[in-house]
Amino acid sequence: MSQEPIKLGKRESKLRVDPKWADVCLTCGTCAGGCPVTGVDGMDPRKAVRMAALGLDDELINSRFPWVCTLCGRCERACPMGVEILAMMRTARGLRERDKVPGPIHKGTMMSMERGNNLGIPYDDWLFLLADMSKEMEDEGFPGFYVPVDKVGARVISTVNSKEPFGEPDDMKFWWKIYYAAHESWTVSSENWEGVTWGLFGGDDESMKEQARRVLENARKVKAEVLLLPE
Ligand code: SF4
Ligand code: SF4
């Protein structure tokens, strides 16, 4: 860590943090006490608040804190002074240069924008998998089972976490068996069926809105009453 003294100056906070936080925050540590990841990679929400209040925006944006944070919001709910820690963490994520976003979150978001799901599963492969697994379900003791795709009038539209068709397709059967047993009227979409909005986790508001819009459009198209999200 640099040993240079920290120079504070009056300036706009990139994190849209209210400068009053420096006085408002009691440094009581309630946020840190309730945070499930306090201590992971030195994570401490109280320190993050202090960094933001002192104008150390870039240091916070480029730190591990916003990415170790799970965005669960416990700190914000517990804070006796109403400091908006969750919003600050997510804003910090959004301000990280996109090519420096850790892990697959940004790449998955871009893939979803281009192909309708985070892992880029092609349209034909998706439909083939659903047909193939429908046969498996029949063989496993669910006579007449099939996955209804784009079924207009279905009561429930079910989105899918792309890691399931990609790597754990049998996990989709848990939902399917419930629908079958309940004689539910349900459907999945042939396109833009991804239910995990990585734009939300990456702090990418534009992509998040577009991903949500597509899912809602699918629900409206089939006139579904219930939209089911896996996460
Ligand atoms: S809980 Fe609120 S007041 Fe207490 S240290 Fe955290 S941010 Fe500051
Ligand atoms: S939102 Fe982040 S900082 Fe706050 S409690 Fe959850 S993991 Fe910790």
Side-chain angles (χ1 to χ4, degrees):
M1 186 175 278
S2 164
Q3 296 302 308
E4 290 295 309
I6 297 165
K7 290 182 187 147
L8 301 179
K10 278 193 182 170
R11 60 191 171 87
E12 281 287 301
S13 168
K14 286 189 216 170
L15 295 164
R16 290 185 230 113
V17 165
D18 189 330
K20 286 201 293 290
W21 282 15
D23 298 325
V24 167
C25 172
L26 307 168
T27 64
C28 63
T30 306
C31 50
C35 171
V37 290
T38 287
V40 177
D41 289 354
M43 170 64 164
D44 182 340
R46 176 175 44 179
K47 273 192 202 163
V49 169
R50 192 57 33 188
M51 287 166 83
L54 292 175
L56 300 175
D57 294 4
D58 292 337
E59 287 78 358
L60 181 55
I61 290 162
N62 293 313
S63 76
R64 292 275 301 138
F65 287 179
W67 303 95
V68 169
C69 167
T70 64
L71 305 180
C72 69
R74 286 185 69 179
C75 52
E76 197 169 298
R77 282 194 293 278
C79 174
M81 301 306 286
V83 176
E84 293 170 334
I85 310 168
L86 171 60
M88 178 191 76
M89 289 296 198
R90 188 169 175 278
T91 306
R93 283 191 182 199
L95 290 168
R96 174 74 72 96
E97 283 171 61
R98 293 295 92 183
D99 61 349
K100 293 189 179 143
V101 170
I105 296 176
H106 178 60
K107 289 190 191 86
T109 302
M110 292 299 99
M111 184 65 84
S112 186
M113 296 300 283
E114 192 184 317
R115 295 202 195 166
N117 65 87
N118 296 340
L119 291 167
I121 297 169
Y123 176 85
D124 288 344
D125 290 6
W126 169 237
L127 295 184
F128 178 83
L129 180 71
L130 294 181
D132 200 45
M133 291 188 66
S134 293
K135 280 198 210 97
E136 270 183 32
M137 284 280 288
E138 278 205 289
D139 295 345
E140 287 168 14
F142 299 89
F145 179 88
Y146 70 100
V147 178
V149 178
D150 298 333
K151 184 181 160 194
V152 176
R155 196 181 80 86
V156 177
I157 185 166
S158 197
T159 60
V160 179
N161 180 333
S162 53
K163 81 168 189 236
E164 291 176 341
F166 186 81
E168 296 156 4
D170 279 354
D171 282 5
M172 293 191 288
K173 290 180 182 170
F174 298 132
W175 290 106
W176 299 352
K177 287 174 187 173
I178 293 169
Y179 292 144
Y180 185 89
H183 303 288
E184 185 58 271
S185 163
W186 66 289
T187 191
V188 296
S189 302
S190 57
E191 293 181 277
N192 297 322
W193 43 263
E194 177 68 68
V196 182
T197 314
W198 275 355
L200 167 69
F201 302 124
D204 178 345
D205 286 343
E206 288 312 308
S207 301
M208 178 183 74
K209 282 182 206 159
E210 175 58 15
Q211 287 172 313
R213 188 197 65 74
R214 290 173 181 180
V215 167
L216 277 175
E217 185 179 84
N218 281 345
R220 286 185 183 127
K221 236 188 265 173
V222 298
K223 303 182 171 58
E225 291 170 35
V226 176
L227 168 62
L228 198 73
L229 297 159
E231 290 194 350

